[in-house]
Amino acid sequence: MSIPTNSRLSDQVSAYMRSRFSFLAFPGSATGTPPIPLDLPVDLSIGMHQMVFTLVAAYNNPVQSSVDLVRLAESLAPMEPGNNGEREDMFIRKFSPTMCGLLDEPAVILGEGGIVALWYLPGALARPTQKNIMQALCPLYGRLTASIWATHGATTHSILTSN
């Protein structure tokens, strides 16, 4: 069995996940059950299904909040660092969410007007996948941190590609 190249593999995985999501989220649609790609590694296949099932569960669990996302976005400064406690408290007072209860299952959080604010996807990535992502990101920590705190003239790309 030969594993497809990265580009072809990404295309194959995303196409399957889109069709599987559509099949599960919109039962009775014209599409039938998408065939499972058998040329993928088992751990990738399991991870794909775990992600799709989590996305469908979130899609079927919309949670309304009263946050006006347009006003919130207009209030944020470009490159808002998000580590100023006083500023965060001000935003919580000004744009206090009115969601009831604690989220403990996948959900789509909606702002005013039904605009998607965020997807809450606990368990979407299997532990081994999370571990692999963290191991891949660890060597980039210093450069990513520098890119976030870069001066106005520098871009993330220029910082990540510099020596």
Side-chain angles (χ1 to χ4, degrees):
M1 169 173 71
S2 82
I3 297 174
T5 63
N6 281 345
S7 174
R8 194 171 141 247
L9 178 63
S10 293
D11 291 344
Q12 187 178 2
V13 167
S14 62
Y16 174 75
M17 289 178 69
R18 277 191 310 270
S19 62
R20 185 75 180 165
F21 175 85
S22 295
F23 174 75
L24 294 172
F26 309 108
S29 63
T31 62
T33 305
I36 297 172
L38 299 177
D39 58 339
L40 299 178
V42 172
D43 59 338
L44 177 57
S45 183
I46 292 169
M48 283 188 324
H49 286 93
Q50 183 171 343
M51 175 63 81
V52 169
F53 286 125
T54 305
L55 288 167
V56 170
Y59 181 79
N60 290 322
N61 185 27
V63 176
Q64 187 67 48
S65 78
S66 65
V67 175
D68 184 343
L69 298 174
V70 174
R71 282 189 35 230
L72 174 61
E74 290 170 350
S75 299
L76 294 172
M79 299 294 292
E80 188 80 40
N83 61 355
N84 180 330
E86 291 176 15
R87 187 152 168 82
E88 289 177 20
D89 288 342
M90 183 272 301
F91 278 115
I92 288 173
R93 284 191 304 278
K94 188 174 180 181
F95 301 101
S96 63
T98 57
M99 294 180 356
C100 297
L102 177 68
L103 288 178
D104 60 352
E105 58 188 51
V108 177
I109 311 302
L110 305 173
E112 284 191 7
I115 298 171
V116 174
L118 65 97
W119 289 71
Y120 176 65
L121 303 170
L125 295 175
R127 288 275 182 221
T129 303
Q130 292 177 32
K131 185 178 176 183
N132 289 341
I133 290 170
M134 290 305 295
Q135 288 173 342
L137 290 176
C138 280
L140 298 175
Y141 177 79
R143 289 180 180 217
L144 289 172
T145 301
S147 75
I148 292 168
W149 298 106
T151 59
H152 295 312
T155 64
T156 301
H157 180 269
S158 68
I159 291 169
L160 292 176
T161 56
S162 67
N163 290 335

